[in-house]
Coordinates of all heavy atoms in Angstrom, one line a residue:
M158 N 0.8 -1.2 0.0 CA 0.0 0.0 0.0 C 0.9 1.3 0.0 O 0.5 2.2 -0.6 CB -1.0 0.0 1.2 CG -1.9 -1.1 1.1 SD -3.7 -0.9 1.5 CE -3.9 0.7 2.1
R159 N 2.0 1.2 0.7 CA 2.9 2.3 0.7 C 3.5 2.6 -0.7 O 3.6 3.7 -1.1 CB 4.1 2.1 1.7 CG 3.6 2.1 3.2 CD 4.7 1.9 4.1 NE 5.5 0.7 3.9 CZ 5.5 -0.3 4.7 NH1 4.7 -0.4 5.8 NH2 6.2 -1.4 4.5
L160 N 3.9 1.5 -1.4 CA 4.4 1.7 -2.7 C 3.3 2.2 -3.7 O 3.6 3.1 -4.5 CB 4.9 0.3 -3.2 CG 5.5 0.3 -4.6 CD1 6.7 1.3 -4.7 CD2 5.9 -1.1 -5.0
C161 N 2.1 1.7 -3.5 CA 1.0 2.2 -4.3 C 0.8 3.7 -4.1 O 0.6 4.5 -5.0 CB -0.3 1.4 -4.0 SG -1.7 2.0 -5.0
A162 N 0.8 4.1 -2.8 CA 0.6 5.5 -2.5 C 1.7 6.4 -3.1 O 1.4 7.4 -3.7 CB 0.6 5.7 -1.0
W163 N 2.9 5.9 -3.0 CA 4.0 6.6 -3.6 C 3.9 6.7 -5.1 O 4.1 7.8 -5.7 CB 5.4 6.0 -3.3 CG 6.5 6.7 -4.0 CD1 7.2 6.3 -5.1 CD2 6.9 8.1 -3.7 NE1 8.1 7.3 -5.5 CE2 7.9 8.4 -4.7 CE3 6.6 9.0 -2.8 CZ2 8.6 9.6 -4.7 CZ3 7.2 10.3 -2.8 CH2 8.2 10.5 -3.8
Y164 N 3.5 5.6 -5.8 CA 3.4 5.6 -7.2 C 2.3 6.6 -7.6 O 2.6 7.4 -8.6 CB 2.9 4.2 -7.7 CG 2.5 4.1 -9.1 CD1 3.3 4.4 -10.1 CD2 1.2 3.8 -9.4 CE1 2.9 4.3 -11.5 CE2 0.7 3.7 -10.7 CZ 1.6 4.0 -11.7 OH 1.2 3.9 -13.0
L165 N 1.2 6.7 -7.0 CA 0.1 7.6 -7.3 C 0.5 9.0 -7.0 O 0.1 10.0 -7.7 CB -1.2 7.2 -6.7 CG -1.7 5.9 -7.2 CD1 -2.9 5.4 -6.3 CD2 -2.1 5.9 -8.6
Y166 N 1.1 9.2 -5.9 CA 1.4 10.6 -5.4 C 2.8 11.2 -5.8 O 2.9 12.3 -6.2 CB 1.4 10.6 -3.8 CG 1.6 11.9 -3.2 CD1 0.6 12.8 -3.0 CD2 2.9 12.3 -2.8 CE1 0.8 14.0 -2.4 CE2 3.1 13.5 -2.2 CZ 2.0 14.4 -2.0 OH 2.3 15.6 -1.4
G167 N 3.8 10.3 -5.9 CA 5.1 10.8 -6.1 C 5.8 10.6 -7.4 O 6.7 11.3 -7.8
E168 N 5.3 9.5 -8.1 CA 6.0 9.2 -9.4 C 5.4 10.2 -10.5 O 4.2 10.3 -10.6 CB 5.7 7.8 -9.8 CG 6.5 6.8 -9.0 CD 8.0 7.0 -9.1 OE1 8.5 7.2 -10.2 OE2 8.7 6.9 -8.0
K169 N 6.3 10.8 -11.2 CA 5.8 11.9 -12.1 C 6.4 11.7 -13.5 O 7.4 11.0 -13.7 CB 6.3 13.2 -11.6 CG 6.0 13.6 -10.2 CD 4.6 13.9 -10.0 CE 4.4 14.4 -8.6 NZ 3.1 14.6 -8.2
H170 N 5.6 12.2 -14.5 CA 6.1 12.3 -15.9 C 5.9 13.8 -16.2 O 4.7 14.3 -16.2 CB 5.2 11.4 -16.8 CG 5.6 11.6 -18.2 ND1 6.7 11.2 -18.8 CD2 4.8 12.1 -19.2 CE1 6.7 11.5 -20.1 NE2 5.6 12.1 -20.4
R171 N 7.0 14.4 -16.5 CA 7.0 15.9 -16.8 C 6.3 16.7 -15.7 O 5.6 17.7 -15.9 CB 6.3 16.2 -18.1 CG 7.1 15.5 -19.3 CD 6.5 15.9 -20.6 NE 7.3 15.3 -21.6 CZ 6.9 15.2 -22.9 NH1 5.8 15.6 -23.3 NH2 7.7 14.6 -23.7
G172 N 6.4 16.2 -14.4 CA 5.9 16.9 -13.3 C 4.5 16.5 -12.9 O 4.0 16.9 -11.8
Y173 N 3.8 15.8 -13.7 CA 2.4 15.4 -13.5 C 2.4 13.9 -13.1 O 3.3 13.2 -13.4 CB 1.5 15.7 -14.7 CG 1.4 17.1 -15.0 CD1 2.0 17.6 -16.1 CD2 0.7 18.0 -14.2 CE1 2.0 19.0 -16.4 CE2 0.6 19.3 -14.5 CZ 1.2 19.8 -15.6 OH 1.2 21.2 -15.9
A174 N 1.3 13.5 -12.5 CA 1.2 12.1 -12.1 C 1.4 11.1 -13.2 O 0.9 11.3 -14.3 CB -0.2 11.8 -11.5
L175 N 2.3 10.1 -13.0 CA 2.6 9.2 -14.0 C 1.4 8.3 -14.4 O 1.3 8.0 -15.6 CB 3.8 8.3 -13.4 CG 4.3 7.2 -14.3 CD1 4.9 7.8 -15.6 CD2 5.3 6.3 -13.6
N176 N 0.6 7.9 -13.4 CA -0.6 7.1 -13.7 C -1.6 7.9 -14.5 O -2.0 9.0 -14.0 CB -1.1 6.6 -12.4 CG -2.3 5.7 -12.6 OD1 -3.4 6.2 -12.8 ND2 -2.1 4.4 -12.7
P177 N -2.0 7.5 -15.6 CA -3.0 8.3 -16.4 C -4.3 8.5 -15.8 O -4.9 9.5 -15.9 CB -3.1 7.5 -17.7 CG -2.6 6.1 -17.5 CD -1.6 6.2 -16.3
V178 N -4.8 7.5 -15.0 CA -6.1 7.7 -14.3 C -6.0 8.7 -13.2 O -6.8 9.6 -13.1 CB -6.6 6.3 -13.8 CG1 -7.9 6.5 -12.9 CG2 -6.9 5.4 -14.9
A179 N -4.9 8.6 -12.4 CA -4.6 9.6 -11.4 C -4.5 11.0 -12.0 O -5.1 12.0 -11.5 CB -3.3 9.3 -10.6
N180 N -3.8 11.1 -13.1 CA -3.6 12.4 -13.8 C -4.9 13.0 -14.2 O -5.2 14.2 -14.1 CB -2.6 12.2 -15.0 CG -2.2 13.6 -15.6 OD1 -1.8 14.5 -14.9 ND2 -2.3 13.7 -16.9
F181 N -5.8 12.1 -14.8 CA -7.1 12.6 -15.2 C -7.9 13.2 -14.0 O -8.4 14.3 -14.1 CB -7.9 11.4 -15.8 CG -9.3 11.7 -16.1 CD1 -9.7 12.4 -17.2 CD2 -10.3 11.3 -15.2 CE1 -11.1 12.7 -17.4 CE2 -11.7 11.6 -15.4 CZ -12.0 12.3 -16.5
H182 N -8.0 12.4 -13.0 CA -8.8 12.9 -11.8 C -8.2 14.1 -11.2 O -8.9 15.1 -10.8 CB -8.9 11.8 -10.8 CG -9.9 10.7 -11.2 ND1 -11.3 10.9 -11.2 CD2 -9.7 9.4 -11.6 CE1 -11.9 9.8 -11.7 NE2 -10.9 8.9 -11.9
L183 N -6.9 14.2 -11.1 CA -6.2 15.3 -10.4 C -6.4 16.6 -11.3 O -6.6 17.7 -10.8 CB -4.7 15.0 -10.2 CG -4.5 13.9 -9.1 CD1 -3.1 13.4 -9.1 CD2 -5.0 14.4 -7.7
Q184 N -6.3 16.4 -12.6 CA -6.5 17.6 -13.5 C -7.9 18.1 -13.4 O -8.1 19.3 -13.5 CB -6.3 17.2 -15.0 CG -4.9 17.0 -15.4 CD -4.7 16.7 -16.9 OE1 -5.6 16.9 -17.6 NE2 -3.5 16.3 -17.2
N185 N -8.8 17.2 -13.0 CA -10.2 17.7 -12.9 C -10.6 18.1 -11.5 O -11.7 18.4 -11.1 CB -11.2 16.5 -13.3 CG -11.2 16.4 -14.8 OD1 -11.4 17.3 -15.5 ND2 -10.9 15.2 -15.3
G186 N -9.6 18.2 -10.6 CA -9.7 18.8 -9.3 C -10.0 17.9 -8.1 O -10.5 18.4 -7.1
S187 N -9.8 16.6 -8.3 CA -10.1 15.7 -7.2 C -9.0 15.7 -6.2 O -7.9 16.3 -6.4 CB -10.3 14.3 -7.7 OG -9.0 13.8 -8.1
V188 N -9.2 15.0 -5.1 CA -8.3 14.7 -4.0 C -8.0 13.2 -4.1 O -8.9 12.4 -4.1 CB -8.8 15.1 -2.6 CG1 -7.8 14.7 -1.5 CG2 -9.1 16.6 -2.6
L189 N -6.7 12.8 -4.0 CA -6.3 11.4 -3.9 C -6.7 11.0 -2.5 O -6.1 11.4 -1.5 CB -4.8 11.3 -4.1 CG -4.2 9.9 -4.1 CD1 -4.9 8.9 -5.0 CD2 -2.7 10.0 -4.4
W190 N -7.8 10.3 -2.4 CA -8.5 10.2 -1.1 C -8.2 8.9 -0.3 O -7.9 8.9 0.8 CB -10.0 10.2 -1.4 CG -10.8 10.3 -0.1 CD1 -11.6 9.4 0.5 CD2 -10.8 11.5 0.8 NE1 -12.2 9.9 1.6 CE2 -11.7 11.1 1.9 CE3 -10.2 12.7 0.8 CZ2 -11.9 12.0 2.9 CZ3 -10.5 13.6 1.8 CH2 -11.3 13.2 2.9
R191 N -8.3 7.7 -1.0 CA -8.1 6.5 -0.2 C -7.6 5.4 -1.1 O -8.0 5.3 -2.3 CB -9.5 6.1 0.4 CG -9.4 4.9 1.3 CD -10.7 4.6 2.0 NE -11.8 4.6 1.1 CZ -13.0 4.9 1.5 NH1 -13.3 5.4 2.7 NH2 -14.0 4.8 0.6
I192 N -6.8 4.5 -0.5 CA -6.3 3.3 -1.2 C -6.9 2.2 -0.4 O -6.8 2.0 0.8 CB -4.8 3.3 -1.2 CG1 -4.2 4.5 -1.9 CG2 -4.3 2.0 -1.8 CD1 -2.7 4.6 -1.9
N193 N -7.6 1.3 -1.2 CA -8.3 0.2 -0.6 C -7.6 -1.1 -0.9 O -7.5 -1.5 -2.1 CB -9.7 0.1 -1.2 CG -10.5 1.4 -0.9 OD1 -10.8 1.8 0.2 ND2 -10.7 2.2 -2.0
W194 N -7.1 -1.8 0.1 CA -6.5 -3.1 0.0 C -7.6 -4.1 -0.5 O -8.6 -4.2 0.2 CB -5.8 -3.5 1.3 CG -5.3 -4.9 1.2 CD1 -5.7 -6.0 1.8 CD2 -4.1 -5.3 0.5 NE1 -5.0 -7.1 1.6 CE2 -3.9 -6.7 0.7 CE3 -3.2 -4.6 -0.3 CZ2 -2.9 -7.4 0.2 CZ3 -2.1 -5.4 -0.8 CH2 -2.0 -6.7 -0.6
M195 N -7.3 -4.9 -1.5 CA -8.2 -5.9 -2.0 C -9.6 -5.3 -2.4 O -10.6 -5.9 -2.2 CB -8.3 -7.1 -1.1 CG -7.0 -7.8 -0.8 SD -6.1 -8.3 -2.3 CE -7.0 -9.7 -2.7
G196 N -9.6 -4.1 -2.9 CA -10.8 -3.4 -3.3 C -11.3 -4.0 -4.7 O -12.5 -3.8 -5.0
D197 N -10.4 -4.6 -5.4 CA -10.8 -5.2 -6.7 C -10.2 -6.6 -6.8 O -9.1 -6.7 -7.2 CB -10.4 -4.3 -7.9 CG -10.9 -4.8 -9.2 OD1 -11.5 -5.9 -9.3 OD2 -10.6 -4.1 -10.2
T198 N -11.0 -7.6 -6.4 CA -10.5 -9.0 -6.4 C -10.8 -9.7 -7.7 O -10.6 -10.9 -7.8 CB -11.0 -9.7 -5.2 OG1 -12.4 -9.7 -5.3 CG2 -10.5 -9.1 -3.9
S199 N -11.2 -9.0 -8.7 CA -11.5 -9.7 -10.0 C -10.1 -10.1 -10.6 O -9.1 -9.5 -10.2 CB -12.2 -8.7 -11.0 OG -11.3 -7.7 -11.4
P200 N -10.1 -11.0 -11.5 CA -8.8 -11.4 -12.1 C -8.1 -10.2 -12.8 O -6.9 -10.1 -12.6 CB -9.2 -12.5 -13.2 CG -10.5 -13.1 -12.6 CD -11.2 -11.9 -11.9
R201 N -8.8 -9.4 -13.4 CA -8.2 -8.2 -14.0 C -7.6 -7.2 -12.9 O -6.5 -6.7 -13.1 CB -9.2 -7.4 -14.9 CG -8.6 -6.2 -15.6 CD -9.6 -5.6 -16.6 NE -9.0 -4.6 -17.4 CZ -9.1 -3.3 -17.1 NH1 -9.8 -2.9 -16.1 NH2 -8.5 -2.4 -17.8
G202 N -8.4 -7.0 -11.8 CA -7.9 -6.2 -10.7 C -6.7 -6.7 -10.1 O -5.8 -6.0 -9.7
I203 N -6.6 -8.0 -9.9 CA -5.5 -8.7 -9.3 C -4.3 -8.5 -10.2 O -3.2 -8.1 -9.8 CB -5.7 -10.2 -8.9 CG1 -6.8 -10.3 -7.9 CG2 -4.4 -10.9 -8.5 CD1 -6.5 -9.8 -6.5
G204 N -4.5 -8.7 -11.5 CA -3.4 -8.6 -12.4 C -2.9 -7.2 -12.7 O -1.7 -7.0 -12.8
A205 N -3.8 -6.3 -12.7 CA -3.4 -4.9 -13.0 C -2.9 -4.1 -11.8 O -2.0 -3.2 -11.9 CB -4.6 -4.2 -13.6
S206 N -3.5 -4.4 -10.6 CA -3.1 -3.6 -9.4 C -3.0 -4.3 -8.1 O -3.1 -3.7 -7.1 CB -4.1 -2.4 -9.3 OG -5.4 -3.0 -9.0
C207 N -2.7 -5.6 -8.2 CA -2.6 -6.5 -7.0 C -3.9 -6.4 -6.2 O -3.8 -6.5 -5.0 CB -1.4 -6.1 -6.2 SG 0.2 -6.4 -7.1
G208 N -5.0 -6.1 -6.8 CA -6.2 -6.0 -6.1 C -6.5 -4.7 -5.4 O -7.6 -4.5 -4.8
M209 N -5.6 -3.7 -5.5 CA -5.8 -2.4 -4.8 C -6.7 -1.6 -5.7 O -6.7 -1.6 -6.9 CB -4.5 -1.7 -4.6 CG -3.7 -2.3 -3.4 SD -2.2 -1.4 -3.1 CE -1.1 -2.6 -3.8
M210 N -7.5 -0.7 -5.0 CA -8.4 0.2 -5.7 C -8.2 1.6 -5.0 O -8.0 1.7 -3.8 CB -9.9 -0.2 -5.6 CG -10.8 0.6 -6.3 SD -12.5 0.1 -6.2 CE -12.5 -1.3 -7.4
V211 N -8.3 2.6 -5.8 CA -8.1 4.0 -5.4 C -9.4 4.7 -5.5 O -10.1 4.6 -6.5 CB -7.0 4.6 -6.2 CG1 -6.8 6.1 -5.7 CG2 -5.7 3.8 -6.1
N212 N -9.7 5.6 -4.5 CA -10.8 6.5 -4.5 C -10.3 7.9 -4.7 O -9.3 8.3 -4.0 CB -11.6 6.4 -3.3 CG -12.3 5.1 -3.1 OD1 -12.0 4.4 -2.1 ND2 -13.2 4.7 -4.0
Y213 N -10.9 8.6 -5.6 CA -10.6 10.0 -5.8 C -11.9 10.7 -5.3 O -13.0 10.3 -5.7 CB -10.3 10.4 -7.2 CG -9.1 9.7 -7.7 CD1 -9.1 8.5 -8.3 CD2 -7.9 10.3 -7.5 CE1 -7.9 7.9 -8.7 CE2 -6.7 9.7 -7.9 CZ -6.7 8.5 -8.5 OH -5.5 7.9 -8.9
R214 N -11.7 11.8 -4.5 CA -12.9 12.5 -4.0 C -12.9 13.9 -4.5 O -11.9 14.6 -4.6 CB -12.8 12.5 -2.4 CG -14.1 13.0 -1.8 CD -14.2 12.7 -0.4 NE -15.4 13.3 0.2 CZ -15.7 13.4 1.4 NH1 -14.8 12.8 2.3 NH2 -16.8 13.9 1.9
Y215 N -14.1 14.3 -4.9 CA -14.3 15.6 -5.4 C -15.1 16.4 -4.4 O -16.3 16.1 -4.1 CB -15.1 15.6 -6.8 CG -14.3 15.0 -7.9 CD1 -14.2 13.7 -8.1 CD2 -13.6 15.9 -8.8 CE1 -13.5 13.2 -9.2 CE2 -12.9 15.4 -9.8 CZ -12.8 14.0 -10.0 OH -12.1 13.6 -11.1
F216 N -14.5 17.5 -3.9 CA -15.2 18.5 -3.1 C -15.6 19.6 -4.0 O -14.7 20.3 -4.5 CB -14.3 19.0 -2.0 CG -13.9 17.9 -1.0 CD1 -12.7 17.2 -1.1 CD2 -14.8 17.6 0.1 CE1 -12.3 16.3 -0.2 CE2 -14.4 16.6 1.0 CZ -13.2 16.0 0.9
L217 N -16.9 19.7 -4.3 CA -17.3 20.6 -5.4 C -16.8 22.0 -5.2 O -16.4 22.7 -6.2 CB -18.8 20.6 -5.5 CG -19.4 19.2 -6.0 CD1 -20.9 19.3 -6.1 CD2 -18.7 18.7 -7.3
E218 N -16.8 22.5 -4.0 CA -16.3 23.9 -3.8 C -14.8 24.1 -4.0 O -14.3 25.2 -4.0 CB -16.8 24.4 -2.4 CG -16.1 23.6 -1.2 CD -16.8 22.3 -0.9 OE1 -17.8 21.9 -1.5 OE2 -16.2 21.6 0.0
E219 N -14.1 22.9 -4.0 CA -12.6 23.0 -4.2 C -12.1 22.5 -5.5 O -10.9 22.6 -5.8 CB -12.0 22.2 -3.1 CG -12.3 22.7 -1.7 CD -11.7 21.8 -0.6 OE1 -10.9 20.9 -0.9 OE2 -12.0 22.1 0.6
T220 N -12.9 22.0 -6.4 CA -12.4 21.4 -7.6 C -11.7 22.4 -8.5 O -10.6 22.0 -9.0 CB -13.6 20.7 -8.4 OG1 -14.6 21.6 -8.7 CG2 -14.1 19.5 -7.7
A221 N -12.2 23.6 -8.6 CA -11.5 24.5 -9.5 C -10.2 24.9 -9.0 O -9.2 25.0 -9.7 CB -12.4 25.8 -9.7
S222 N -10.1 25.2 -7.7 CA -8.8 25.5 -7.1 C -7.8 24.4 -7.1 O -6.6 24.5 -7.3 CB -8.9 26.1 -5.7 OG -9.5 25.2 -4.8
N223 N -8.3 23.1 -6.8 CA -7.4 22.0 -6.8 C -6.9 21.7 -8.3 O -5.7 21.4 -8.4 CB -8.2 20.7 -6.4 CG -8.5 20.7 -4.9 OD1 -8.0 21.5 -4.2 ND2 -9.4 19.8 -4.5
S224 N -7.8 21.9 -9.2 CA -7.4 21.7 -10.6 C -6.3 22.7 -11.0 O -5.3 22.4 -11.6 CB -8.6 21.8 -11.6 OG -8.2 21.7 -12.9
A225 N -6.5 24.0 -10.7 CA -5.6 25.1 -11.0 C -4.2 24.8 -10.3 O -3.2 25.0 -10.9 CB -6.2 26.4 -10.6
L226 N -4.3 24.4 -9.0 CA -3.0 24.1 -8.3 C -2.3 23.0 -9.0 O -1.0 23.1 -9.1 CB -3.4 23.8 -6.9 CG -2.2 23.5 -5.9 CD1 -1.5 24.7 -5.6 CD2 -2.7 22.9 -4.6
Y227 N -2.9 22.0 -9.4 CA -2.3 20.8 -10.0 C -1.7 21.2 -11.3 O -0.5 20.9 -11.7 CB -3.2 19.7 -10.2 CG -2.6 18.4 -10.8 CD1 -1.7 17.7 -10.1 CD2 -3.0 18.0 -12.1 CE1 -1.1 16.6 -10.7 CE2 -2.4 16.9 -12.6 CZ -1.5 16.2 -12.0 OH -0.9 15.1 -12.5
L228 N -2.5 21.9 -12.1 CA -2.0 22.3 -13.5 C -0.9 23.3 -13.5 O 0.0 23.2 -14.3 CB -3.2 22.8 -14.3 CG -4.2 21.7 -14.7 CD1 -5.5 22.3 -15.3 CD2 -3.7 20.6 -15.5
A229 N -1.0 24.2 -12.5 CA 0.1 25.3 -12.5 C 1.3 24.9 -11.7 O 2.4 25.1 -12.1 CB -0.5 26.6 -11.9
S230 N 1.1 24.2 -10.5 CA 2.2 23.9 -9.6 C 2.5 22.5 -9.5 O 3.5 22.1 -8.8 CB 1.9 24.5 -8.2 OG 1.6 25.8 -8.3
K231 N 1.7 21.6 -10.2 CA 1.9 20.2 -10.2 C 1.8 19.6 -8.8 O 2.5 18.6 -8.5 CB 3.2 19.8 -10.9 CG 3.2 20.3 -12.3 CD 4.6 20.1 -13.0 CE 4.5 20.5 -14.4 NZ 5.2 21.6 -14.8
Q232 N 1.1 20.3 -7.9 CA 0.9 19.8 -6.5 C -0.3 18.9 -6.4 O -1.4 19.2 -6.9 CB 0.7 21.0 -5.6 CG 2.0 21.8 -5.4 CD 1.8 22.9 -4.5 OE1 0.9 22.9 -3.7 NE2 2.7 23.9 -4.5
V233 N -0.2 17.7 -5.8 CA -1.2 16.7 -5.7 C -1.9 16.9 -4.3 O -1.2 16.9 -3.3 CB -0.7 15.3 -5.8 CG1 -1.7 14.3 -5.5 CG2 -0.1 15.1 -7.2
R234 N -3.2 17.1 -4.3 CA -3.9 17.1 -3.0 C -4.2 15.7 -2.7 O -4.7 14.9 -3.5 CB -5.2 17.9 -3.2 CG -5.1 19.4 -3.5 CD -5.0 20.2 -2.2 NE -5.7 19.8 -1.0 CZ -7.0 20.0 -0.7 NH1 -7.7 20.8 -1.5 NH2 -7.5 19.5 0.4
A235 N -3.9 15.3 -1.4 CA -4.2 14.0 -0.9 C -4.6 14.0 0.5 O -4.4 14.9 1.3 CB -2.9 13.2 -1.0
S236 N -5.4 12.9 0.9 CA -5.9 12.8 2.2 C -4.8 12.4 3.2 O -3.6 12.1 2.8 CB -6.9 11.7 2.3 OG -6.3 10.4 2.1
E237 N -5.1 12.5 4.5 CA -4.1 12.2 5.5 C -3.7 10.7 5.4 O -2.5 10.4 5.6 CB -4.7 12.4 6.9 CG -4.8 13.9 7.2 CD -5.3 14.2 8.6 OE1 -5.2 13.3 9.5 OE2 -5.8 15.3 8.8
Q238 N -4.6 9.8 5.0 CA -4.3 8.4 4.9 C -3.2 8.2 3.8 O -2.3 7.5 4.0 CB -5.6 7.6 4.5 CG -5.3 6.1 4.5 CD -5.7 5.4 3.2 OE1 -5.8 6.0 2.1 NE2 -5.8 4.1 3.2
V239 N -3.4 8.8 2.7 CA -2.5 8.7 1.6 C -1.2 9.3 2.0 O -0.1 8.7 1.7 CB -3.1 9.3 0.3 CG1 -2.0 9.3 -0.8 CG2 -4.3 8.5 -0.1
L240 N -1.2 10.5 2.5 CA 0.1 11.2 2.9 C 0.8 10.4 4.0 O 2.1 10.3 3.9 CB -0.2 12.6 3.4 CG -0.7 13.5 2.4 CD1 -1.1 14.9 3.0 CD2 0.3 13.7 1.2
A241 N 0.1 9.7 4.9 CA 0.8 8.9 5.9 C 1.5 7.7 5.2 O 2.6 7.3 5.6 CB -0.2 8.4 6.9
L242 N 0.8 7.1 4.2 CA 1.4 6.0 3.5 C 2.7 6.4 2.7 O 3.7 5.8 2.7 CB 0.4 5.3 2.6 CG -0.7 4.5 3.2 CD1 -1.8 4.2 2.2 CD2 -0.1 3.2 3.9
V243 N 2.6 7.6 2.1 CA 3.7 8.2 1.4 C 4.9 8.4 2.3 O 6.0 8.1 2.0 CB 3.3 9.5 0.7 CG1 4.5 10.3 0.2 CG2 2.3 9.2 -0.5
A244 N 4.6 9.0 3.5 CA 5.7 9.2 4.5 C 6.3 7.9 4.9 O 7.6 7.9 5.1 CB 5.1 10.0 5.7
Q245 N 5.5 6.9 5.2 CA 6.1 5.6 5.5 C 7.0 5.0 4.4 O 8.0 4.5 4.7 CB 5.0 4.6 5.9 CG 4.2 4.9 7.1 CD 3.0 4.1 7.3 OE1 2.8 3.1 6.6 NE2 2.1 4.5 8.2
F246 N 6.5 5.2 3.2 CA 7.3 4.7 2.1 C 8.6 5.4 2.0 O 9.7 4.8 1.9 CB 6.6 4.9 0.8 CG 7.4 4.6 -0.4 CD1 7.6 3.3 -0.9 CD2 8.1 5.6 -1.1 CE1 8.4 3.0 -1.9 CE2 8.9 5.3 -2.2 CZ 9.0 4.0 -2.6
Q247 N 8.6 6.8 2.2 CA 9.8 7.6 2.1 C 10.8 7.2 3.2 O 12.0 7.2 3.0 CB 9.5 9.0 2.1 CG 8.8 9.5 0.8 CD 8.4 10.9 0.9 OE1 7.8 11.4 1.9 NE2 8.6 11.7 -0.2
Q248 N 10.3 6.9 4.4 CA 11.2 6.5 5.5 C 11.9 5.2 5.3 O 13.0 5.0 5.7 CB 10.4 6.4 6.8 CG 9.9 7.8 7.4 CD 9.0 7.6 8.6 OE1 8.5 6.5 8.9 NE2 8.8 8.7 9.3
N249 N 11.2 4.3 4.6 CA 11.7 2.9 4.4 C 12.4 2.7 3.1 O 12.9 1.6 2.8 CB 10.6 1.9 4.7 CG 10.1 1.9 6.1 OD1 10.8 2.0 7.0 ND2 8.8 1.9 6.2
S250 N 12.3 3.7 2.2 CA 12.8 3.5 0.8 C 14.2 4.0 0.7 O 14.7 4.9 1.4 CB 11.9 4.4 -0.1 OG 12.4 4.3 -1.4
K251 N 14.9 3.4 -0.3 CA 16.2 3.9 -0.6 C 16.2 4.8 -1.8 O 17.3 5.1 -2.4 CB 17.1 2.7 -0.8 CG 17.3 1.8 0.4 CD 18.3 0.7 0.1 CE 18.4 -0.3 1.2 NZ 18.4 0.0 2.5
L252 N 15.0 5.2 -2.3 CA 14.9 6.1 -3.4 C 15.4 7.5 -3.0 O 15.2 8.0 -2.0 CB 13.5 6.2 -3.9 CG 12.9 4.9 -4.5 CD1 11.5 5.1 -5.0 CD2 13.7 4.5 -5.7

């Protein structure tokens, strides 16, 4: 889960999220909200993401500002759960 959080939050292509689905939602003003262990246990879900599923949350009053922040500054808005997983990954990683 820590690696997944880092991949979605920290891995970039030209400054934007490397994952195309994450990039889509973040450009539209969402917050990287939650990572669900075994959220997709279908054969495709297991093969594509080890069964993990991600939720993006849209706070309607914040979507325009989140989108502008991401597009201009490449800053990803994320929940405390995701940020905690990212911090744990960074503490234990040799990257």
